[in-house]
Amino acid sequence: MAAQFGRRLRRGATTTAVAAAAVAALSASQAPAAPHPGDQAAAGATPPGDSAATGNSPYHTDLPPLNTPNKPGASVNLPVTGSAEAGIPASVLAAYKKAEQAVAGTDAACRLPWQLLAAIGKVESGQARGGKVDADGTTFSPILGPALNGQGFALIRDTDGGAYDGDSTHDRAVGPMQFIPSTWATWGQDGNGDGRKDPNNIYDAALAAGRYLCAGSRDLSLATDLDRAVLSYNHSTEYLRTVRSWFDYYNRGTHEVPDGTGVLPADTGTGAGAGTGTGTSTGTSSPSPTPPSTGATPPATSPPATPPATSPPATTPPPAKPTPPPTTPPPTTPPPTTPPPTTPPPVTPSPAETFGSLENAGTGPLTATAGEAFAERVKVRARNMLGAPLARTPVTFTLVGETDARFAGGKRTVTLTTGADGTVTAPALTAGERTGAFKVTAVAGTGKPRILTYTARVTARVADTVARTEDKALTAAPGAAFADRVEVRTTYKGTGVADTAVTATMITDAETPAENDKGPYFKDADGEPVRTLNLTTGADGLLTLPEIYADDTAGTYTLRLTTASGATLTVELKVEAPAA
């Protein structure tokens, strides 16, 4: 599909002259200077291990136009028109933004911008061939790079049995973000929630690219971390420059265009085209760029050889001394390009052994009543730089804020280590008497530690019972006061609850009780009869009701006490003449 994907640079096959020309062209066409001048990728070298996500496969080198795109909303014609190159197909743009949100939810410290995914997607596949994807975000036909057979590219033998790339001999970069199968096996994601991890789906591929770029403790808001992330994707200084150019361009403004209408990179016929769904290159360009040659004059670096000397004619006397050699210096062998030996770098843990991220492992709401244990416990999971669970990772849990809640053993801070599944659960947490909110933090990693923060809340006790403190019968003669006062106590699970609102009402005995208009009563401040009072318990939930008086009507009456939480108590009051 060379006509569809434009020119690409090939890793490893280009000569020094061609690579130098590419660097000069990029430098002259607004590409930012590379921050890694020592990177041998600039000369077409493939780094040891071929560890990049794409296997350092070809990529588009087209740069964005020099004119600045309109910011979204800056024109009344946006978002469906504007600078054509600034347009990103709707499904592709949605996939980038969704991936940004998903990564922010589990690795906010990485600060992944969706514009970086858009820049890489543009360089790798021309935004999925201009947005030629179905309703689920899957390309209509696979996007395959050339076979990574060591002929101009990295040598990567088949790792997937041809499952993704249709090639059972060598691997090929696959999909809109051009993952090689071995990398996809580790980083593949299900970005659209269909239960599959498909490198040909823009939602899956964008999320996988986002997590790959955020590996380790990278903070992509820092230029050095962003450059390292891009170089880890494709180890090439030209690649970094090109991605950086598109990243800056998209940051200045983009807009959405319908799927299938995105602008494809221009085809100049000078590079290897991206593979088609059959895994073969369909461009008419040369599969391996070579230096131009006119066929008339040998290269300047190889001067013509001097013909061998012959004996002079007999009529010419021999010279007295040898003729000096021509002033043109003889050809010399260029110095070796191998850099001098250096001290081996320090041994560092492999990505599978290095802490990468910390995530919530299913912690529920942290709420408890004062003095009680929290039903939920904080649970987190550590992952390595490859995204797999990481065991034996120390995690420190700390209580932050004004609280007397404590972990088991009365501790505010405790450090535990993750298990084989990468998870660890904080000790049980018990609330104190102080009500309100506080924080629980989980911290793992050194240098750039990852921190998760949970909000916990302690609520006040609410009385679930109101009861008399003694069972003595309450009687009074008509027109007299009751000799004994009514004392009650409000409690929560047996513990007294102070400051509990209590309503005391003299009620009728009807099926639906109401305030009684006769029988026992209280007195207000003016000495007038009242049959309903609003009261509040004191220390330890105790409450002594005011004095109760009987009118002239004998009989058995009911006093009802209720709390705001629904606890209820009825007290029997008898008005009867004293015995003779």
Side-chain angles (χ1 to χ4, degrees), residues 40 336-343:
Q40 290 187 348
T337 59
T338 305
T342 58
T343 303

Side-chain angles (χ1 to χ4, degrees), residues 339-508:
T342 58
T343 303
V347 178
T348 57
S350 68
E353 300 171 327
T354 304
F355 172 73
S357 63
L358 190 67
E359 64 185 24
N360 183 9
T363 305
L366 296 174
T367 58
T369 301
E372 293 193 338
F374 284 76
E376 286 285 333
R377 295 163 65 181
V378 176
K379 184 178 182 180
V380 299
R381 177 179 289 105
R383 293 189 180 276
N384 61 23
M385 293 182 66
L386 302 178
L390 181 63
R392 300 185 300 278
T393 300
V395 179
T396 299
F397 300 94
T398 304
L399 306 182
V400 181
E402 296 182 358
T403 179
D404 52 358
R406 293 292 184 269
F407 290 122
K411 298 179 180 179
R412 288 182 64 100
T413 298
V414 63
T415 300
L416 301 173
T417 303
T418 59
D421 62 351
T423 66
V424 61
T425 303
L429 182 62
T430 301
E433 294 302 316
R434 184 190 295 270
T435 60
F438 63 96
K439 304 290 185 182
V440 182
T441 62
V443 182
T446 58
K448 291 184 179 178
R450 303 294 174 152
I451 303 174
L452 296 179
T453 302
Y454 302 84
T455 298
R457 187 173 299 277
V458 177
T459 59
R461 295 184 182 90
V462 177
D464 57 8
T465 303
V466 55
R468 289 185 65 189
T469 59
E470 58 182 7
D471 296 331
K472 189 175 182 178
L474 299 171
T475 61
F482 284 79
D484 297 302
R485 304 274 290 271
V486 177
E487 185 181 67
V488 297
R489 184 172 183 244
T490 56
T491 59
Y492 172 75
K493 295 185 177 180
T495 301
V497 181
D499 300 322
T500 300
V502 177
T503 300
T505 305
M506 303 296 179
I507 61 173
T508 64

Side-chain angles (χ1 to χ4, degrees), residues 296-351:
T297 304
T301 57
S302 300
T306 302
T310 59
S311 299
T315 59
T316 303
K321 59 182 179 180
T323 302
T327 58
T328 303
T332 59
T333 303
T337 59
T338 305
T342 58
T343 303
V347 178
T348 57
S350 68

